[in-house]
Amino acid sequence: MTATHHNTPDLFALSDLHGPVLRPGEDGYAEEVTGFNLAALHTPDVVVGATGVDDIVTALRWASATGTPVAVQATGHGANFPIDHGLLINTSRMTDVRIDPDQRVATVAAGAKWRHVLEAAAPHGLAALSGTSTDAGAVGYTLGGGLPVMGRAYGYAADLVRSFHVVTPDGTLRESDPDQEPELFWALRGGKGNVGVVTSMTFELLPLPTILGGGVYFPGEHAEAVLRAWTDWTKTLPDEMCSAFTLLRLPPIPEIPEPLRGGFWARVAIAWPGDPAEGERLLAPIRAAAPVAVDTVEEMPYAALDRIHLEPQDPLPARESCTLMRDLTPDAIDTFLAQVGPDVPDCPLLLVEIRHMGGALARPARQDDAICARDANYLLEAIGVLAAPPAAQAIEQATTSLHTTMAPYGTGRTMINIHGTPGDTTDRARAWTPEVYDRLRHDKSTYDPSNLLRFGHTVTT
């Protein structure tokens, strides 16, 4: 044990686990703690590679008995806070997916990726409300509410959850649904990982074998014309049209296909579940907004969802952040372009995206939940790749400046999954209304009175 780590209690109680139990310096430790976001380099005192529910129960009982704080990681897409002590439970081995095509539901284990779910559902003509990268974990994404590519058409991923199996920090395995442990069920849908470790989740699937989807790319010099056209367009659309406006400053690396490689682009990405011909008709004003450089919009299998946003597939160090927006006024557009538009050639952000909200995302939940983004009409997201210390500083400055200047047009809140590095209590609370935050604090004191689940985007009791 190095001097940088806390003294770890005896691990004898963990010796019966089926998965590996590793300390710093042991073979396999580095691989076990590394997730997708390499900006959050975890160095816990001990990491457990859980293979099933029993491993998670045993690990949490040990943590409770020893007072050891606990973090959980499946894929690491949501990792934004390096864990420098305590226990990390890695659920990436728990990838079981079971599809009930008659009931149109899926039951997925803690470490299943959306890719696993879509591949299992597709042969039945069914689909799940996944996000822009199917490499992300289904459970962690949904605990944060889950903002799907098809969100305007069908709502949040959490809206379709039927039940959870969850181990609370005292090591008790519980089933939670609207009738059993209803308060736990409420907190798990939008409250992230504040009250327990989910071992499996059951949710509804959609009869959606194919969609119209892809991106229309324009040279970045036309960003203003495209953004203004897209903003006007979003005010006229049926709820089922899902879209986002994105500015992309792409590096000249082989992973990015030509001709996009190394370029500055304005993109409108769309996903439409209805008649493809009607979707093409609706898209016409966007294609007419400026000269089109690349157009990838086509009818595709739903399981090919990754083609729409083309997110990176390999781990990288990233700084992510977001602001929920009330509206995009002409002043808001001017402010946005002054921060990240074509006249800012040294902007260090890889991606700046404005996603159209509303539609089903604005409808009340069937069962009350902790999601606090239903009043937003747009979501502003920024991502920078932290390649070197000077770049990291520039990205932090650009990110702070963007969200500060856009704050007057925002709701004052964020979404947990895209919030980025959680700051102090006030900063973390921005993901919820004051009423929901107070309720989460109460639930936290009920289910985790010792504050064992204190890493990442957690609430304080």
Side-chain angles (χ1 to χ4, degrees):
M1 189 90 54
T2 65
T4 58
H5 287 266
H6 297 204
N7 291 324
T8 309
D10 182 72
L11 302 184
F12 177 77
L14 298 179
S15 60
D16 291 336
L17 266 66
H18 299 286
V21 179
L22 300 169
R23 296 194 190 204
E26 295 182 341
D27 288 346
Y29 173 90
E31 292 78 9
E32 201 70 34
V33 302
T34 301
F36 185 87
N37 188 356
L38 301 179
L41 296 176
H42 301 318
T43 54
D45 295 319
V46 58
V47 58
V48 165
T51 61
V53 176
D54 290 346
D55 282 355
I56 293 177
V57 169
T58 300
L60 281 173
R61 287 179 178 171
W62 174 83
S64 180
T66 59
T68 304
V70 179
V72 185
Q73 178 166 282
T75 67
H77 274 265
N80 48 48
F81 190 92
I83 299 156
D84 62 1
H85 65 286
L87 166 67
L88 175 64
I89 300 175
N90 178 355
T91 63
S92 63
R93 293 170 176 80
M94 299 172 61
T95 59
D96 184 59
V97 175
R98 287 179 286 123
I99 306 293
D100 183 335
D102 296 326
Q103 296 296 316
R104 293 212 305 243
V105 298
T107 299
V108 305
K113 296 181 178 182
W114 280 119
R115 182 172 299 134
H116 303 141
V117 181
L118 299 190
E119 289 172 353
H124 307 286
L126 299 173
L129 285 181
S130 55
T132 54
S133 172
T134 64
D135 190 61
V139 167
Y141 162 93
T142 304
L143 293 179
L147 179 58
V149 172
M150 304 298 303
R152 277 179 49 82
Y154 301 106
Y156 294 95
D159 291 340
L160 298 190
V161 174
R162 295 248 183 115
S163 65
F164 296 97
H165 282 91
V166 55
V167 184
T168 44
D170 61 357
T172 302
L173 177 63
R174 307 169 189 261
E175 184 169 0
S176 176
D177 59 32
D179 299 315
Q180 304 176 81
E181 303 271 9
E183 187 63 21
L184 197 59
F185 189 65
W186 174 85
L188 289 169
R189 291 172 303 122
K192 205 59 176 176
N194 275 287
V195 291
V197 179
V198 170
T199 62
S200 68
M201 174 177 74
T202 298
F203 54 91
E204 298 170 28
L205 298 170
L206 303 168
L208 194 62
T210 62
I211 58 172
L212 182 74
V216 183
Y217 294 78
F218 307 84
E221 66 207 57
H222 299 294
E224 179 175 356
V226 176
L227 176 55
R228 294 192 188 280
W230 176 77
T231 302
D232 291 342
W233 183 69
T234 60
K235 301 180 189 304
T236 68
L237 293 172
D239 290 352
E240 292 75 20
M241 178 59 82
C242 310
S243 70
F245 170 86
T246 315
L247 292 178
L248 293 159
R249 290 172 165 89
L250 301 176
I253 57 175
E255 290 79 6
I256 296 172
E258 293 284 9
L260 300 176
R261 185 184 304 162
F264 171 45
W265 307 98
R267 178 186 71 193
V268 173
I270 69 108
W272 166 257
D275 175 61
E278 175 65 7
E280 294 279 3
R281 186 192 68 77
L282 287 169
L283 189 56
I286 294 300
R287 288 179 167 142
V292 174
V294 177
D295 191 334
T296 67
V297 174
E298 62 180 349
E299 188 174 5
M300 63 173 66
Y302 185 92
L305 205 66
D306 283 336
R307 293 185 203 165
I308 297 176
H309 285 260
L310 296 177
E311 290 209 0
Q313 297 299 304
D314 297 320
L316 77 172
R319 166 74 163 96
E320 190 172 35
S321 59
C322 78
T323 296
L324 289 165
M325 308 290 295
R326 288 191 306 271
D327 200 1
L328 274 178
T329 63
D331 284 347
I333 292 173
D334 289 342
T335 303
F336 173 82
L337 292 170
Q339 289 290 313
V340 296
D343 294 333
V344 191
D346 58 347
C347 176
L349 300 173
L350 173 73
L351 173 152
V352 184
E353 182 163 283
I354 304 174
R355 192 179 305 194
H356 190 200
M357 303 283 279
L361 297 169
R363 297 171 195 161
R366 288 180 294 182
Q367 297 284 339
D368 192 24
D369 61 30
I371 297 172
C372 296
R374 298 183 191 273
D375 60 342
N377 289 308
Y378 300 90
L379 179 141
L380 169 62
E381 178 183 8
I383 297 177
V385 176
L386 309 173
Q393 184 177 10
I395 287 167
E396 191 62 37
Q397 291 173 346
T399 299
T400 300
S401 179
L402 174 64
H403 291 298
T404 299
T405 57
M406 295 301 289
Y409 313 102
T411 68
R413 289 191 292 278
T414 68
M415 287 203 72
I416 315 166
N417 287 347
I418 322 172
H419 179 97
T421 306
D424 60 14
T425 300
T426 301
D427 179 64
R428 293 167 189 238
R430 291 190 302 124
W432 302 283
T433 63
E435 295 77 16
V436 168
Y437 184 70
D438 286 345
R439 186 172 170 183
L440 283 171
R441 290 181 65 201
H442 178 268
D443 291 346
K444 178 78 168 178
S445 65
T446 301
Y447 292 103
D448 187 16
S450 299
N451 194 28
L452 294 185
L453 297 168
R454 70 182 71 159
F455 296 109
H457 202 134
T458 52
V459 304
T460 56
T461 55

